[in-house]
Amino acid sequence: MTGKTSGWSRDEMAQRAALDIPDGAYVNLGIGIPEQVAKFVPADREVIYHSENGLLGMGPAPAAGHEDPDLINAGKKQVTAIPGAAFFHHADSFVMIRGHHIDICVLGTMQVAENGDLANWSTGAPDAIPAVGGAMDLVAGVETIYVITQHCTRTGEPKLVDACSYPLTGQGVVNRIYTDLAVIDVTAEGFEVVELAPGISFDYVQEHTGARLIRCN
Amino acid sequence: MTGKTSGWSRDEMAQRAALDIPDGAYVNLGIGIPEQVAKFVPADREVIYHSENGLLGMGPAPAAGHEDPDLINAGKKQVTAIPGAAFFHHADSFVMIRGHHIDICVLGTMQVAENGDLANWSTGAPDAIPAVGGAMDLVAGVETIYVITQHCTRTGEPKLVDACSYPLTGQGVVNRIYTDLAVIDVTAEGFEVVELAPGISFDYVQEHTGARLIRCN
Amino acid sequence: MIDKQNASPAAAVADIFDGATVMVGGFGEAGSPIELIHALIDQGAGNLTVINNNTGSGHVGLAALIENKQVGKMICSFPRTANSTVFPDLYRAGEIELELVPQGTLAERIRAGGAGIPAFYTATTVGTPLAEGKETRCFDGRDYVMEVGLKADFALIKCSKADRYGNLVYSKTARNFSPVMATAAAITIAQAGAVVEAGALDPEVIITPGIFVDRLVEIFDPEQESRLVAAGRSYP
Amino acid sequence: MIDKQNASPAAAVADIFDGATVMVGGFGEAGSPIELIHALIDQGAGNLTVINNNTGSGHVGLAALIENKQVGKMICSFPRTANSTVFPDLYRAGEIELELVPQGTLAERIRAGGAGIPAFYTATTVGTPLAEGKETRCFDGRDYVMEVGLKADFALIKCSKADRYGNLVYSKTARNFSPVMATAAAITIAQAGAVVEAGALDPEVIITPGIFVDRLVEIFDPEQESRLVAAGRSYP
């Protein structure tokens, strides 16, 4: 096995994904590492963040003393609203999602399959409390789905697989995956490595992936 | 044939219908005589008028010099808004109608059948320009449908018939009819005369009706 | 004169009956009508079907209603909460039923219920376990599942201001599900931070027109769920 | 920086193509984007499918677009107008097609198109000639017809104020179909009485969030259709 020598940190994964968010995009960021993407979008790009609980134009966390329990994001954290923000109700918010108006959604995951299937809501364990939130709506309605995830689970199992063993969130929905090891596109032929983290070899990534990888030309 | 000796005027028909609008009702008034009903609702009742083009809390016509081309009713006449009115878009407006939130709708008609079928949008003539507006939505969505109409056409044909010959607006939707001759309920057994206009006999109404009438007990 | 104000939360919820379906506004604590929920706990109606995105926090508000065994079934998208084990404990014990609905489908099913639309099609859940048993249909080459409208006997919601007609405005993201729930319930009960004169609310900015609201209760300084939870409070 | 402003109506409508489907806001003259329609007349695209509740008045605005033979098909609820024979004349001559849709179904089909809902059921038209050829289905003992969502290549709408993000507010009943049309078109073009600074519009009162708007044109003092008609004006 080829030893890991470096790889990206969580912040670096978010930073790498941020490079792919174009100026003027309407973006929904999932809970966890995806939330960090907003910090790293280059300053010359203006990006509008959507929070599915009824806010377009979400800003960063409030300064101390300016928290408002009525102004939260989908993760129920207190946030701010930029000048030019708009509030709306939940049905209107999902018009934006289901109606293909959001350009990009960045999500975490449990598994991604080489055909783009995403499983990020349930392990299917019999004692699990099932909880789906807006994940299925987002992957069904947003054209471009980016996933940010550690390449493997804490116990070393690959999260990029030939077929998901966990219950699906959506079929064939993922476009690109940012892991600590690589940037990988989902193509018609399968996973294609488009960029390797510093010090990480293609073979190392392949050894930690549960599906065949394609080298980018 | 029993001679007509009196009967109700257009204003009297509207006035009679107004007596049946209860305090606190949400009401949609069609174009023509139905619009006049608002003038006659007793002063001790507060009624909220809905206009399907996006206004709840429609007031009377504006005073001279206070007209606003952005503030019109479904008949495209300039109106006013009462204190406590609300504006909304067309889809939301028809949520109120289709979702059974409007209590009463008062409409004009071409024909009403004894089973409550209403025909008020088209004669079906081959050269007619078909135009339906919101009539089909109203009769499908509003629980109580009142009709105000002359008992007969200008050429003396009955408008209350055993079966509509014109294309339907809705099936079995009419509850009560106010004509120049009588107030008539649509019941499971057919048309029931609940009130006669001054000087008008039951037999006279029957002679001018294209279906069997029932005397109210 | 139309005046939808009730004297108290207790008066407003008095006729909620055993077995009723109750929509409860709010997403997390934002928009949660905590005084109305507590009045429902005092009132005691049981075997309720409750529709809310979540299952509450700590031991107050919606979590307390569940903990008090008044809820037979939850319809929601996300029944897990970091700071509450009330629902998970009852669910694992088989004492409460769950209908899990994706958040956007939940919002749209409620809107459909209020809009007189018995069913609609959506691509959400296609190919997932949540589509099992649902009718699937192809439109323009893509598969969609049929979802049915949701209605309720009562809706309990919270707004920032109201007038006597029941016109409502909300505060920021505390709006969330409340405007669609108001349309979908036979009886909609709103707690308002203030009840103002008719005409004091700009007709351009009214979010819920009064036609959708049946009862109002003024709660000038409502409890804040996260503060109650942080203070370790429970209800009753 | 996001700035959706276009220099002129002509620039905003330049890429509307022959055969395009175009939603046009307005109910009668209220909300009719007359400057954008006149720019489309100047631009000349033909064989358009136009979606509007009506067919215009006199010989200006939408009626002028129809009279100029740019419209192959109208989708509307009420194609008759007291003061215009433009549509009826072409319709009787077999030169324009008509899809007649009840007003509420029209609004809901547009909303569905914008909301990613390919089809829904409604009781409107059941038992009437307008239900012929449509699938009928029974839910809870009542019949409903299936209606499909409507989308467009372009929407031309009018609002009172906008900001550079495309957030819009409207004036009174001039709002009508525009908010749902904005959601249902690939390219939504709005003429605004004023374009204000970002943040100048209260986020609680924005009716159309900017995500639904692609292009803005400021028209400070728009023409009023009824005045043009009364003056006997025609366009071009």
Side-chain angles (χ1 to χ4, degrees), chain A residues 61-136:
Chain A
H66 289 78
E67 301 89 353
D68 183 340
D70 286 344
L71 183 48
I72 62 174
N73 67 11
K76 307 197 175 80
K77 287 191 194 133
Q78 293 179 1
V79 294
T80 53
I82 66 166
F87 299 115
F88 33 83
H89 64 57
H90 246 86
D92 281 350
S93 186
F94 281 82
V95 166
M96 297 178 190
I97 293 171
R98 198 187 313 97
H100 305 290
H101 303 284
I102 309 285
D103 298 310
I104 297 170
C105 178
V106 187
L107 290 168
T109 200
M110 295 170 176
Q111 293 179 325
V112 182
E114 60 186 349
N115 64 355
D117 285 0
L118 179 76
N120 78 343
W121 71 285
S122 169
T123 61
D127 66 334
I129 305 296
V132 67
M136 287 189 186

Side-chain angles (χ1 to χ4, degrees), chain D residues 3-8 12 159 162-168 188-192 195 213-218:
Chain D
D3 188 352
K4 298 181 178 176
Q5 286 191 80
N6 278 231
S8 66
C159 66
D163 66 20
R164 66 179 169 88
Y165 292 114
N167 292 307
L168 310 182
T188 292
I189 308 168
Q191 67 172 71
V195 179
V213 176
D214 299 280
R215 300 174 194 163
L216 293 170
V217 188
E218 189 172 34

